[in-house]
Amino acid sequence: MTEISLFPIVFYLLAAVTVVSALGVAFSNNIFYSAIALMGALLGTAGLYVMLAADFLAVVQIFVYVGGILVLTLFAINLTSRIGDVSISNRSIGRLPSLLMLGLVGTVMVRAVLGGGWNLVDVPEAEPTIATIGNGFLTDYILPFELASLVLLAALVGAVVLSRKELKEERG
Amino acid sequence: MMEIGLSHFLVVSTIVFLAGMFCVLTRRNAIGILMGVELILNSANLNYLAFARYSSVGYDGQMFAIFVIMLAAAEAAIGLAIVLGIYQTFHTIDVEATDTLRL
């Protein structure tokens, strides 16, 4: 058994990138650095998706999160210019109470993770998931799929309405 | 080296969740809070995919994860539009300054 598997190495690498970036998002004092760290966390998660044989999800993650949401966030950071002030990004309830609360929640979660008792199966060979997901969208998940388009339309109109109002106020 | 299993992914997602929750709890910056929410949604997605891979639920987890990503996109668009609206009105995005509705 001298064969060195690449899987654990890549996993620990991606996990380290994800965890370090997530902690960077949480603890950075500069909101801009937080956003950059968020990119690392999202990319690391996309890599973990690939390791979980979810190739389509990984691509969607990169397109939607890194290409869409993150760019939107950076725009918002740049448009709200005073966001760089340290006084704005300081703590609301303080680190100690929130760490206490995190400790409570974390204890429960770690107990749940270590508790186990899941109905595990042997991991099947990784294969492309796009066909399965496409079939699912048009059969089992047709109702959520159509509702999703309505939600996206509502979000589109809502975002336009919210931004229009500001323009009018500025002019008048 | 130990074989990578379900619990490894669950541990990673737990840490990401806790980081996101810390972000939501401690930031007064509205955009920072939204970024914490993104982290939390990401950790939930990681759990969905891990269970879809390692347990006997089939591909349902992947479908759920897609819908979560879709809703996260809508949430980010609306949330950031609201943040920009708050900035126009209050000239700050400190969530503690937006207390007009408070008595």
Side-chain angles (χ1 to χ4, degrees):
Chain A
M1 295 299 271
T2 51
E3 180 194 352
I4 295 177
S5 174
L6 210 58
F7 193 87
I9 300 171
V10 178
F11 171 81
Y12 283 117
L13 212 68
L14 288 171
V17 168
T18 309
V19 166
V20 169
S21 308
L23 294 179
V25 174
F27 288 98
S28 168
N29 277 324
N30 188 328
I31 190 79
F32 192 78
Y33 294 153
S34 280
I36 299 298
L38 183 64
M39 181 176 75
L42 296 176
L43 286 176
T45 322
L48 289 176
Y49 289 179
V50 173
M51 306 208 68
L52 288 167
D55 48 352
F56 181 66
L57 255 296
V59 174
V60 167
Q61 164 96 354
I62 290 177
F63 277 2
V64 174
Y65 268 106
V66 183
I69 294 177
L70 195 68
V71 171
L72 212 61
T73 309
L74 287 174
F75 262 112
I77 289 173
N78 285 328
L79 284 175
T80 51
S81 53
R82 279 176 54 200
I83 203 167
D85 295 357
V86 181
S87 60
I88 291 180
S89 57
N90 58 9
R91 319 289 159 204
S92 63
I93 65 172
R95 285 195 170 177
L96 209 63
S98 47
L99 280 179
L100 197 75
M101 195 165 163
L102 284 195
L104 288 176
V105 176
T107 315
V108 173
M109 289 181 77
V110 167
R111 278 181 67 90
V113 167
L114 296 181
W118 291 299
N119 190 11
L120 298 186
V121 292
D122 285 338
V123 180
E125 277 291 303
E127 49 189 25
T129 55
I130 298 177
T132 324
I133 288 175
N135 279 329
F137 270 143
L138 294 178
T139 52
D140 293 342
Y141 289 88
I142 183 87
L143 184 64
F145 182 60
E146 297 298 334
L147 280 178
S149 32
L150 277 183
V151 168
L152 284 179
L153 182 69
L156 197 74
V157 175
V160 169
V161 168
L162 282 171
S163 342
R164 279 290 291 178
K165 206 172 63 191
E166 303 152 19
L167 284 178
K168 256 188 266 164
E169 276 175 3
E170 247 180 21
R171 214 180 294 142
Chain B
M1 198 176 286
M2 231 173 98
E3 200 182 332
I4 303 299
L6 174 65
S7 50
H8 290 75
F9 288 96
L10 293 187
V11 165
V12 172
S13 89
T14 303
I15 296 172
V16 173
F17 175 85
L18 291 178
M21 196 173 146
F22 183 82
C23 208
V24 171
L25 282 175
T26 55
R27 298 267 177 202
R28 279 165 56 186
N29 186 327
I31 295 178
I33 293 175
L34 281 177
M35 291 200 293
V37 173
E38 304 294 343
L39 278 184
I40 290 175
L41 290 173
N42 249 291
S43 73
N45 265 349
L46 199 57
N47 264 11
Y48 270 133
L49 292 182
F51 277 107
R53 177 88 172 131
Y54 286 103
S55 77
S56 55
V57 293
Y59 74 107
D60 286 350
Q62 301 210 1
M63 305 298 292
F64 273 76
I66 289 182
F67 288 117
V68 169
I69 289 181
M70 185 275 296
L71 283 175
E75 169 256 322
I78 296 293
L80 290 172
I82 291 174
V83 168
L84 289 182
I86 289 174
Y87 182 72
Q88 298 277 339
T89 312
F90 294 93
H91 301 288
T92 177
I93 54 170
D94 184 348
V95 287
E96 292 193 354
T98 56
D99 55 357
T100 310
L101 277 177
R102 196 184 288 169
L103 280 175

